[in-house]
Amino acid sequence: MTKLKTDLLIIGAGSGGLSVAAGAVQMGASVILLEAHKMGGDCLNFGCVPSKALIASGKAAYAQSHASVYGVADVTPKVDYAAAKDHVADVIEQIKPVDSQERFEAMGVRVIREYGRFISPKEVQAGEFVITARRIVIATGSSPLVPPIPGLENVPYETNETIFELRDKPGHLLVIGGGPIGMEMAQAHRRLGCEVTVIEGMKALGNDDPEMAAVVLERFAAEGIEIAEDAMAAEIRGKLGAIEVEAKDGRVFKGTHLLMAVGRAANIDKLDTEKAGIETTRRGIKVDAGMRSTNRRVYAIGDVAGGLQFTHMAGYHAGLIIRSALLGLPAKERTSHIPWATYTDPELAHVGLTEEGARKEHGGNLEVVRFPYSHNDRAIAERKTEGLIKVMVVRGRPVGASIAGAQAGELINLWAFILANNLKMKHVANMVAPYPTLGEINKRVAGAYFSPKLFDSPMVKRVVRFVQGWLP
Ligand SMILES: Cc1cc2nc3c(=O)[nH]c(=O)nc-3n(C[C@H](O)[C@H](O)[C@H](O)COP(=O)(O)OP(=O)(O)OC[C@H]3O[C@@H](n4cnc5c(N)ncnc54)[C@H](O)[C@@H]3O)c2cc1C
């Protein structure tokens, strides 16, 4: 056994772990980083990056078959599914160097390619090393949750860890799980020429505001994606090429391939957390508002901390750790300004409180304003008029914003900025947006908030009449 000592030990080199490592080493701390599998974690290898790359392939195919509306003949796209996967692999290759062992070692981080597991409250074993650290950060992420549905053990299935390497195009993809991951993959595959059925135990996109989710669901139906809701998978049978999923109510769905996308399980199994006095819950490592575990020397960030599971959340957590563990400053997690987006077409994006949440929290003080894409000139020009923005406002201050429509993930950035800085609707109204951009919907929704106050106000009318009376 080789003993090592360091200021900061980070377990897991995904979005969260890499961000902490880069920040900490550049600020002068000694850092050891453990990674048992691929540098870059889920986001680079099995998550955000490959999924967005495959979605881009789907978009390219869809554009070919839906061009006549622009005066360009529709053609049936010749999809080469394996080549689309080459494109996905190439995109990963391009981004990979940023997360590579070489880059982090060049920064001064000691990278050890082993699993880390606690052997005491202060020590972690990784292969032949026993590491003691002033502070330890668990950033081990999550894995696909695969529930024990009867029969599944005998049927081949894909998860997000395998689907991007599948090279034979599924004839009919069955997707169990209608959350963001399942829905993104469903649409990408449909557009690449597969039949697709989404089997969802409750409601598809059920974590989103139903009014916004409906925009996406309508498009899915138009594209021929079958969505079976309230269909809890009870039994799975068959073999590759002929798979059947039977729901509790007796409905049977038939397909050639199966993708399991029912949720995520925190990666805590291999950590031996009990040896370090670190409590866990069903969702992951139990942490306080400062991301500290029940062992004061150990923090947990990103997916394994059991909160919002996004790359930008892990990055945000990393910033908190730098403040707290390195600079000794107070750091408290806040989620009211964290946006998220689902990259279906149309996209869904959200930040802050949903309408339902805002109503519960603010009751009669809540005003909800909407503006539809169909009144945006750029959206009309590009024939992308489905969708809307809605903003939840309390006494002039937005407390949440939801967008369903083209580029929603880009457009939500403004509202993430507004909420992060506690700004008001007047700040959005003061902005001049270039014409014609989709971004004008942000300004127009602020206009929709102020218009009734301005145009329906007897006081404003009186002032105008008074001023007009004085003008020569
Ligand atoms: C299909 C899919 C699409 C997604 N799309 C998006 C998106 O568009 N936008 C977005 O924001 N988020 C997206 N996500 C979520 C995002 O990928 C995660 O939130 C993010 O990767 C979490 O980062 P992390 O650092 O917590 O964990 P990870 O990135 O998963 O990194 C954890 C790392 O720890 C390693 N590890 C685990 N246990 C140990 C151990 N004991 N010792 C050493 N190493 C260990 C793992 O091998 C892994 O590399 C997507 C996820 C999936 C599955």
Side-chain angles (χ1 to χ4, degrees):
M1 282 295 149
T2 309
K3 295 214 168 207
L4 298 175
K5 267 195 172 166
T6 186
D7 292 331
L8 197 64
L9 168 65
I10 302 162
I11 312 178
S15 311
L18 290 174
S19 303
V20 178
V25 79
Q26 289 178 81
M27 289 172 76
S30 63
V31 179
I32 295 180
L33 176 64
L34 307 182
E35 174 53 60
H37 194 25
K38 292 192 177 190
M39 294 290 290
D42 255 20
C43 184
L44 173 64
N45 300 292
F46 316 111
C48 333
V49 171
S51 60
K52 268 75 260 178
L54 197 68
I55 285 169
S57 298
K59 262 192 188 155
Y62 184 82
Q64 289 198 346
S65 56
H66 291 77
S68 60
V69 69
Y70 307 105
V72 179
D74 290 345
V75 289
T76 305
K78 285 189 187 141
V79 174
D80 180 340
Y81 187 76
K85 293 300 176 64
D86 289 341
H87 147 71
V88 170
D90 181 59
V91 168
I92 294 174
E93 278 305 308
Q94 283 193 44
I95 299 177
K96 211 171 169 177
V98 180
D99 292 355
S100 67
Q101 181 166 349
E102 296 71 33
R103 175 163 177 260
F104 278 79
E105 284 175 345
M107 281 186 211
V109 175
R110 177 154 189 184
V111 182
I112 299 174
R113 304 300 293 270
E114 295 281 359
Y115 274 107
R117 62 182 184 87
F118 287 90
I119 51 173
S120 79
K122 291 182 180 174
E123 292 166 303
V124 170
Q125 182 167 357
E128 57 164 310
F129 301 103
V130 171
I131 306 156
T132 326
R134 274 184 227 285
R135 293 287 177 268
I136 299 172
V137 179
I138 303 177
T140 51
S142 63
S143 301
L145 175 77
V146 180
I149 303 170
L152 185 58
E153 65 282 8
N154 302 317
V155 176
Y157 62 87
E158 309 291 333
T159 67
N160 68 293
E161 291 180 357
T162 58
I163 187 111
F164 300 111
E165 290 190 348
L166 180 70
R167 297 188 68 83
D168 296 326
K169 186 163 93 179
H172 188 150
L173 183 66
L174 300 172
V175 181
I176 300 191
I181 295 174
M183 295 294 270
E184 286 184 4
M185 285 303 94
Q187 191 177 37
H189 279 81
R190 178 68 190 133
R191 289 175 162 199
L192 292 172
C194 311
E195 295 290 319
V196 177
T197 303
V198 178
I199 302 158
E200 163 57 49
M202 291 185 277
K203 297 286 167 225
L205 296 171
N207 287 336
D208 285 280
D209 177 329
E211 180 184 6
M212 312 311 270
V215 175
V216 177
L217 295 177
E218 205 170 298
R219 172 69 87 81
F220 270 47
E223 291 189 17
I225 300 164
E226 185 189 2
I227 304 219
E229 296 188 311
D230 302 312
M232 193 62 80
E235 195 188 329
I236 300 176
R237 47 187 180 255
K239 56 182 186 343
L240 189 65
I243 296 175
E244 287 186 1
V245 176
E246 184 168 337
K248 253 191 189 150
D249 61 8
R251 277 178 287 173
V252 176
F253 306 96
K254 294 183 182 186
T256 57
H257 291 67
L258 176 63
L259 170 65
M260 296 298 296
V262 298
R264 313 283 307 162
N267 291 332
I268 49 177
D269 300 354
K270 296 193 172 71
L271 288 169
D272 286 348
T273 46
E274 63 291 345
K275 296 201 173 129
I278 298 167
E279 278 177 40
T280 59
T281 69
R282 212 172 40 86
R283 296 187 57 86
I285 308 270
K286 186 174 165 190
V287 288
D288 65 13
M291 310 313 294
R292 267 201 158 122
S293 75
T294 45
N295 175 336
R296 304 293 294 160
R297 165 188 301 268
V298 180
Y299 295 81
I301 62 168
D303 283 11
V304 77
L308 294 173
Q309 294 184 319
F310 302 108
T311 286
H312 48 275
M313 191 68 191
Y316 165 65
H317 284 163
L320 297 179
I321 299 302
I322 300 279
R323 271 184 73 87
S324 168
L326 251 68
L327 300 172
L329 295 169
K332 200 168 165 200
E333 186 197 33
R334 212 158 63 88
T335 52
S336 59
H337 65 308
I338 305 292
W340 64 80
T342 302
Y343 299 91
T344 47
D345 178 15
E347 293 181 355
L348 270 179
H350 179 78
V351 61
L353 294 174
T354 58
E355 181 179 351
E356 194 190 350
R359 221 168 271 296
K360 270 190 206 139
E361 202 168 315
H362 297 286
N365 292 325
L366 176 71
E367 291 173 83
V368 180
V369 275
R370 294 175 170 77
F371 189 82
Y373 273 67
S374 57
H375 290 185
N376 174 280
D377 290 358
R378 184 62 178 274
I380 296 170
E382 299 199 354
R383 300 198 178 271
K384 291 180 175 157
T385 51
E386 304 151 271
L388 74 154
I389 175 169
K390 81 171 167 184
V391 180
M392 282 53 76
V393 190
V394 175
R395 294 189 200 91
R397 224 177 272 283
V399 294
S402 303
I403 310 178
Q407 306 270 343
E410 304 292 337
L411 298 175
I412 205 71
N413 275 302
L414 177 76
W415 299 98
F417 174 78
I418 296 286
L419 264 70
N421 292 290
N422 205 19
L423 299 178
K424 294 183 130 187
M425 288 301 266
K426 71 174 183 193
H427 295 111
V428 183
N430 286 343
M431 169 187 84
V432 177
Y435 175 86
T437 53
L438 292 178
E440 283 180 286
I441 67 164
N442 286 331
K443 183 168 164 80
R444 294 292 297 274
V445 80
Y449 175 73
F450 286 111
S451 293
K453 294 178 175 49
L454 208 59
F455 302 139
D456 302 343
S457 154
M459 170 65 113
V460 172
K461 289 197 168 92
R462 268 205 302 279
V463 170
V464 170
R465 273 202 302 275
F466 177 75
V467 172
Q468 291 303 309
W470 276 91
L471 289 179

